[in-house]
Amino acid sequence: MKKKIICVVGTRPEAIKMAPVILALRNNPNFNVCVLATAQHRDLLDQVLSVFDIKPDIDLNIMRPNQTLTTLTSRLLLKLDEVLQAEAPDVMLAQGDTTSVMAVALACFYHKIPFGHVEAGLRTWDLQNPFPEEMNRVIAGKLARWHFAPTESSRQNLLREGVPDADIVITGNTVIDALLSVADRSMPLPLVLDPNMRLILVTAHRRENFGKPFEQVCYALLKLLERNLDIQVLYPVHPNPNVHDTAHRLLGNHPRVVLCAPLDYLPFVAAMKRAYLILSDSGGVQEEAPALGKPVLVLRQETERPEAVQEGVVKLVGTNFETIVSEVQFLLDDESTYQAMARGVSPYGDGQAAARIVHVLKQAVL
Ligand code: UD1
Ligand code: UDP
């Protein structure tokens, strides 16, 4: 008998990282795969699912403008309760550390449904950074039956929390599966970028950076643009109003800043490939850019992804104005340091993570 497995996607990165798993499970005759979209993100989620040709079987349509963490969590739990009651799956899978994932883990616990956590074991050991994601993944980790850890260091984090070794499998990160799966597709950049300029690609959305820290990032970009007439900034702005409004207010009028709506996954990968360097507080971008040989300066105090920092291809710069200006300027001026960061390494995976996850599930539930 086929086993019923529900794969959950809520936000953009979850869709990108779950797509390879959904497609691999669908190719396996032993599983009946159901895709549940919480739609914690409405627009960004739909964008990504269409790239991978995935249509949700169940859609909770959760997103509300400028949603708070408490209302988001309550609405998720109430709706998941109904779905799990009705569907009674054999297994549920979710990826990462969003509020959707935390709510799914909790709902599975209440319904006694085995939960598999994809991208398990990432930790900063600081509940405020990133907020609320560190708490979300701790809760998911406490409740998971299977921990699909991307790297050895994420496995070590889980062991430190008392997770039995037998419940952890190192798979690599499915984001590299996703990236490699689109690598051969044509990816036209929709925007006219000046080929004579060095492109700085920017993304930002973390809650702990709202307000002053994010304003400092914008002022640092303006200072760098003033000092360097050969740079152009491409910044696909996250729709969160706390980010969107500040970005447009502070950067909207600069002739060498291209502010645009979030890019579809393929054009965004093209933008990463075209970039000279990337400034970002994104988790996924920290994983993808090293594989594309692009230096990333991370706009955060801490990272749960130490591997690329240890490789020397990603650097934490935080959100301090002076630090951002000096670190970017150094990379713009110092060719050998730049080349050392642009080596092209892939500490997060080999593109086979989804196959490993399916293999484990097959052994465990069939
Ligand atoms: C969420 C996740 C974060 C993840 C990020 C990926 C939580 C608490 N946060 O942050 O971990 O790194 O997604 O991007 O789980 N919005 C839209 N359309 C969209 C998406 C968002 O308009 O498609 C706007 C809405 O006003 C929404 C707001 O952004 O209320 C915030 O969305 P939310 O998912 O709560 O937080 P993010 O900052 O997107
Ligand atoms: N991304 C995208 N379009 C954009 C910006 C990012 O497709 O305009 C992709 C990016 O390649 C990565 C993922 O979205 O795979 C990262 O999502 P995000 O930064 O929103 O979340 P995080 O990874 O920080 O949770």
PDB file of all heavy atoms in Angstrom, residues 176 287 290-291 311 344-350:
ATOM      1  N   ILE A 176      20.893  23.148  -3.017  1.00  0.00           N
ATOM      2  CA  ILE A 176      21.879  22.909  -4.084  1.00  0.00           C
ATOM      3  C   ILE A 176      21.241  22.019  -5.162  1.00  0.00           C
ATOM      4  O   ILE A 176      21.489  22.209  -6.362  1.00  0.00           O
ATOM      5  CB  ILE A 176      23.182  22.294  -3.510  1.00  0.00           C
ATOM      6  CG1 ILE A 176      23.772  23.219  -2.420  1.00  0.00           C
ATOM      7  CG2 ILE A 176      24.205  22.043  -4.617  1.00  0.00           C
ATOM      8  CD1 ILE A 176      24.205  24.607  -2.896  1.00  0.00           C
ATOM      9  N   GLU A 287      23.896  30.079   0.968  1.00  0.00           N
ATOM     10  CA  GLU A 287      24.208  28.714   0.534  1.00  0.00           C
ATOM     11  C   GLU A 287      24.461  28.639  -0.972  1.00  0.00           C
ATOM     12  O   GLU A 287      25.336  27.901  -1.438  1.00  0.00           O
ATOM     13  CB  GLU A 287      23.045  27.789   0.906  1.00  0.00           C
ATOM     14  CG  GLU A 287      22.881  27.646   2.399  1.00  0.00           C
ATOM     15  CD  GLU A 287      21.459  27.269   2.832  1.00  0.00           C
ATOM     16  OE1 GLU A 287      20.503  27.393   2.034  1.00  0.00           O
ATOM     17  OE2 GLU A 287      21.295  26.859   3.979  1.00  0.00           O
ATOM     18  N   PRO A 290      28.043  30.835  -2.720  1.00  0.00           N
ATOM     19  CA  PRO A 290      29.370  30.200  -2.768  1.00  0.00           C
ATOM     20  C   PRO A 290      29.487  29.193  -3.917  1.00  0.00           C
ATOM     21  O   PRO A 290      30.521  29.100  -4.568  1.00  0.00           O
ATOM     22  CB  PRO A 290      29.481  29.503  -1.409  1.00  0.00           C
ATOM     23  CG  PRO A 290      28.588  30.278  -0.513  1.00  0.00           C
ATOM     24  CD  PRO A 290      27.431  30.717  -1.387  1.00  0.00           C
ATOM     25  N   ALA A 291      28.398  28.458  -4.163  1.00  0.00           N
ATOM     26  CA  ALA A 291      28.437  27.463  -5.245  1.00  0.00           C
ATOM     27  C   ALA A 291      28.570  28.150  -6.609  1.00  0.00           C
ATOM     28  O   ALA A 291      29.043  27.541  -7.571  1.00  0.00           O
ATOM     29  CB  ALA A 291      27.176  26.598  -5.206  1.00  0.00           C
ATOM     30  N   GLU A 311      35.182  28.531   5.148  1.00  0.00           N
ATOM     31  CA  GLU A 311      35.860  28.388   3.837  1.00  0.00           C
ATOM     32  C   GLU A 311      36.427  29.725   3.363  1.00  0.00           C
ATOM     33  O   GLU A 311      37.166  29.788   2.391  1.00  0.00           O
ATOM     34  CB  GLU A 311      34.865  27.896   2.780  1.00  0.00           C
ATOM     35  CG  GLU A 311      34.452  26.450   2.930  1.00  0.00           C
ATOM     36  CD  GLU A 311      35.420  25.499   2.251  1.00  0.00           C
ATOM     37  OE1 GLU A 311      36.408  25.957   1.655  1.00  0.00           O
ATOM     38  OE2 GLU A 311      35.182  24.289   2.324  1.00  0.00           O
ATOM     39  N   GLY A 344      34.455  29.693  -5.551  1.00  0.00           N
ATOM     40  CA  GLY A 344      33.482  28.700  -6.000  1.00  0.00           C
ATOM     41  C   GLY A 344      33.636  27.404  -5.234  1.00  0.00           C
ATOM     42  O   GLY A 344      34.399  26.522  -5.620  1.00  0.00           O
ATOM     43  N   VAL A 345      32.928  27.305  -4.095  1.00  0.00           N
ATOM     44  CA  VAL A 345      32.943  26.066  -3.299  1.00  0.00           C
ATOM     45  C   VAL A 345      31.503  25.757  -2.927  1.00  0.00           C
ATOM     46  O   VAL A 345      30.657  26.643  -2.956  1.00  0.00           O
ATOM     47  CB  VAL A 345      33.778  26.226  -2.002  1.00  0.00           C
ATOM     48  CG1 VAL A 345      35.242  26.379  -2.312  1.00  0.00           C
ATOM     49  CG2 VAL A 345      33.284  27.401  -1.169  1.00  0.00           C
ATOM     50  N   SER A 346      31.214  24.507  -2.597  1.00  0.00           N
ATOM     51  CA  SER A 346      29.833  24.172  -2.264  1.00  0.00           C
ATOM     52  C   SER A 346      29.780  23.349  -0.980  1.00  0.00           C
ATOM     53  O   SER A 346      29.561  22.142  -1.010  1.00  0.00           O
ATOM     54  CB  SER A 346      29.188  23.406  -3.425  1.00  0.00           C
ATOM     55  OG  SER A 346      27.822  23.178  -3.137  1.00  0.00           O
ATOM     56  N   PRO A 347      29.968  24.030   0.163  1.00  0.00           N
ATOM     57  CA  PRO A 347      29.972  23.266   1.417  1.00  0.00           C
ATOM     58  C   PRO A 347      28.593  22.758   1.816  1.00  0.00           C
ATOM     59  O   PRO A 347      28.481  21.987   2.773  1.00  0.00           O
ATOM     60  CB  PRO A 347      30.495  24.281   2.446  1.00  0.00           C
ATOM     61  CG  PRO A 347      30.210  25.621   1.866  1.00  0.00           C
ATOM     62  CD  PRO A 347      30.236  25.463   0.377  1.00  0.00           C
ATOM     63  N   TYR A 348      27.550  23.179   1.094  1.00  0.00           N
ATOM     64  CA  TYR A 348      26.192  22.817   1.528  1.00  0.00           C
ATOM     65  C   TYR A 348      25.571  21.667   0.754  1.00  0.00           C
ATOM     66  O   TYR A 348      24.427  21.319   1.005  1.00  0.00           O
ATOM     67  CB  TYR A 348      25.289  24.058   1.504  1.00  0.00           C
ATOM     68  CG  TYR A 348      25.826  25.113   2.429  1.00  0.00           C
ATOM     69  CD1 TYR A 348      26.445  26.253   1.930  1.00  0.00           C
ATOM     70  CD2 TYR A 348      25.791  24.920   3.801  1.00  0.00           C
ATOM     71  CE1 TYR A 348      26.991  27.195   2.788  1.00  0.00           C
ATOM     72  CE2 TYR A 348      26.340  25.858   4.664  1.00  0.00           C
ATOM     73  CZ  TYR A 348      26.936  26.991   4.154  1.00  0.00           C
ATOM     74  OH  TYR A 348      27.485  27.905   5.010  1.00  0.00           O
ATOM     75  N   GLY A 349      26.285  21.114  -0.194  1.00  0.00           N
ATOM     76  CA  GLY A 349      25.663  19.958  -0.826  1.00  0.00           C
ATOM     77  C   GLY A 349      26.203  19.653  -2.200  1.00  0.00           C
ATOM     78  O   GLY A 349      26.960  20.422  -2.798  1.00  0.00           O
ATOM     79  N   ASP A 350      25.776  18.474  -2.700  1.00  0.00           N
ATOM     80  CA  ASP A 350      26.252  17.993  -4.001  1.00  0.00           C
ATOM     81  C   ASP A 350      25.099  17.790  -4.969  1.00  0.00           C
ATOM     82  O   ASP A 350      25.267  17.197  -6.037  1.00  0.00           O
ATOM     83  CB  ASP A 350      27.013  16.668  -3.811  1.00  0.00           C
ATOM     84  CG  ASP A 350      26.115  15.588  -3.175  1.00  0.00           C
ATOM     85  OD1 ASP A 350      24.922  15.875  -2.902  1.00  0.00           O
ATOM     86  OD2 ASP A 350      26.600  14.468  -2.955  1.00  0.00           O
TER      87      ASP A 350
END
